[in-house]
Amino acid sequence: MSNLLAGGDLRAREHHRIEDEARELGPLHAVTLPNGVTMQVVTVGLELTRQLLTDQRLSKDSAALQREIKRQLAESGSAQENLAGLFGPSMLNSDNPQHARLRALAVKAFNGKAVQQLAPRIEEMSAALVDALPEGEEVDLVARLAVPMPMHIIGEVLGLPAGDRAHVRVLIETMMSMEPEVSQPASDELGAYFHGLLTGNALDPRSLFGVVTTAVDDDGDRLSHDELMAMAFLLVVAGHETSASLIANVAHDALDNDLWRAAADDPGLVPGLVEETLRHNPPVRSATHRITTEPVEIAGTTVPAGTLLLINLGSAGRCPRAHENAAEYRLDRGTAGHATFGHGPHFCLGSALARLETETVLRHLTSRFPGTTLAGDEPPEVTHNDIMASLKSLPVVLRR
């Protein structure tokens, strides 16, 4: 059970079973990642999950996280890794007041007003991608739609040159794999790319990257190079990977639960589909890494100081104490029944953008191809690491 929580390849829904069984077995499960790093996965109910996500004793400090991971790698004799990519000093890996300072620089690009200004472009791109899909043939919605659409949108927001985006996507996918021998070189290459982009002269000054490279706060402070690099990693990876996986998961769930035709007939059902997938089948399996600054009691078990933690979000959303018939996929639930976008100060900055992208794509797909069916007899394969769960492909037959 613990090893399965760490990651691997499964069929759709199998990771649900593993997470739910883990929650029933107990609140804490030691897992060892392929690089040899050990941490505890927390599987508790929704209420306690939200409390833990706001507990200041569970630190997000980049330096503390890197120290503990490097200590474990050295102790096990594993090769030392460059952790500056996923564990750099970004707003994701920081506590207040540093977190508030870094978040303030990016929030204007992702608030409600800014996202609504992107709506026409998202509509245009969704329509173009859907129009290009062939009718009556087997199509992989991951490769043809779920991956390219958010990559182009986040690329435009941040200022990634259009010709670089496909390669950046490949590097992200490789970096997020469970194989250190390929993920580390991909992380290094992506870091070199961001260094060149952020220190060169090609950035659009109106893009988010263009703004943050020159932004100075009220005290005359500006981001260091390490902070700029960490922000680049965070916004590109999180701004693309989460949306791509969510689009694929919602499309799969609508088909798998016989709700595709209903969404085609009534587009007003689409937001509910997105929320139920976020609860029932989230692309983000666990909140990103935390480390305890002192002993912390979790559901009756004391966790020592210096423990690396992952708080599982899928098991929390499907907790039977939070929802009646929690294992079922249903559209008659409220919108507050999950913590997939986090809770508290680290609530996902891009949640509104991810929702808008997914809802827009699904409306275009269902209205154009209302008779669509899943292809093949086997559930699609899911690849997952300690944080994300993503469909490798989603073969469908598009029908009017």
Side-chain angles (χ1 to χ4, degrees):
M1 179 66 67
S2 295
N3 288 338
L4 289 171
L5 285 171
D9 290 340
L10 299 166
R11 292 291 178 180
R13 302 282 187 256
E14 277 297 290
H15 57 292
H16 298 181
R17 177 186 60 78
I18 292 166
E19 291 168 343
D20 292 345
E21 288 181 3
R23 184 189 62 240
E24 296 307 313
L25 285 172
L28 292 161
H29 310 272
V31 302
T32 301
L33 302 182
N35 63 2
V37 173
T38 297
M39 56 190 65
Q40 294 282 344
V41 176
V42 181
T43 53
V44 294
L46 182 59
E47 182 179 354
L48 182 51
T49 291
R50 287 174 171 159
Q51 292 175 17
L52 292 172
L53 290 173
T54 60
D55 193 325
Q56 296 182 14
R57 299 172 299 172
L58 277 55
S59 172
K60 303 272 301 158
D61 179 63
S62 169
L65 290 166
Q66 291 198 45
R67 278 196 304 271
E68 175 57 20
I69 293 171
K70 289 178 179 178
R71 184 195 68 78
Q72 290 196 31
L73 291 172
E75 191 175 79
S76 65
S78 301
Q80 292 295 301
E81 297 181 23
N82 179 2
L83 303 176
L86 293 178
F87 293 96
S90 69
M91 57 187 166
L92 182 68
N93 297 318
S94 59
D95 300 322
N96 283 331
Q98 177 76 342
H99 168 261
R101 167 180 168 262
L102 295 170
R103 189 177 176 101
L105 290 166
V107 69
K108 290 182 180 179
F110 295 97
N111 63 25
K113 181 180 179 181
V115 169
Q116 285 307 311
Q117 290 175 343
L118 289 170
R121 182 67 178 127
I122 294 172
E123 287 280 352
E124 177 186 11
M125 189 169 292
S126 297
L129 288 169
V130 171
D131 287 347
L133 297 175
E135 182 182 1
E137 301 177 21
E138 185 172 313
V139 175
D140 177 10
L141 287 184
V142 170
R144 294 291 296 272
L145 187 61
V147 165
M149 205 280 282
M151 186 76 247
H152 284 301
I153 293 297
I154 198 64
E156 290 183 7
V157 171
L158 300 178
L160 291 180
D164 296 349
R165 293 170 193 167
H167 184 55
V168 168
R169 161 62 198 175
V170 172
L171 292 177
I172 292 172
E173 189 175 67
T174 307
M175 185 179 70
M176 296 292 286
S177 74
M178 300 294 290
E179 304 167 7
E181 63 273 15
V182 295
S183 62
Q184 188 60 61
S187 178
D188 293 341
E189 184 178 346
L190 193 58
Y193 170 78
F194 286 144
H195 173 77
L197 182 68
L198 296 170
T199 59
N201 298 315
L203 277 176
D204 182 343
R206 298 165 298 179
S207 69
L208 181 58
F209 281 168
V211 170
V212 299
T213 54
T214 58
V216 178
D217 68 15
D218 294 338
D219 298 321
D221 189 21
R222 64 189 303 167
L223 291 178
S224 68
H225 180 67
D226 286 348
E227 289 171 338
L228 282 170
M229 291 286 288
M231 182 174 285
F233 267 96
L234 170 62
L235 294 178
V236 173
V237 174
H240 167 263
E241 193 74 17
T242 303
S243 293
S245 297
L246 180 59
I247 290 168
N249 284 7
V250 175
H252 171 265
D253 291 350
L255 290 166
D256 195 42
N257 291 280
D258 297 322
L259 292 167
W260 187 276
R261 173 74 72 170
D265 294 339
D266 181 5
L269 295 178
V270 169
L273 282 168
V274 174
E275 290 307 311
E276 182 65 350
T277 292
L278 285 166
R279 179 197 73 85
H280 187 267
N281 185 23
V284 180
R285 300 178 62 233
S286 294
T288 50
H289 306 75
R290 285 164 164 78
I291 185 167
T292 53
T293 60
E294 61 182 78
V296 178
E297 183 180 318
I298 299 177
T301 300
T302 298
V303 179
T307 301
L308 294 172
L309 291 178
L310 290 173
I311 302 172
N312 189 267
L313 303 174
S315 63
R318 294 187 302 274
C319 173
R321 294 184 296 278
H323 299 285
E324 183 180 356
N325 300 318
E328 298 177 8
Y329 188 97
R330 290 169 31 179
L331 296 187
D332 59 349
R333 305 184 193 274
T335 60
H338 63 80
T340 296
F341 287 125
H343 188 69
H346 285 277
F347 185 83
C348 177
L349 197 63
S351 60
L353 179 58
R355 283 184 169 107
L356 180 60
E357 288 175 333
T358 306
E359 291 173 12
T360 304
V361 167
L362 201 65
R363 279 194 292 101
H364 280 280
L365 265 177
T366 54
S367 64
R368 185 171 179 84
F369 300 110
T372 295
T373 57
L374 290 168
D377 298 326
E378 289 290 326
E381 198 169 19
V382 176
T383 183
H384 65 96
N385 53 34
D386 50 341
I387 301 297
M388 298 288 300
S390 305
L391 288 171
K392 286 187 170 182
S393 64
L394 181 56
V396 302
V397 179
L398 299 166
R399 297 187 176 92
R400 292 184 188 276

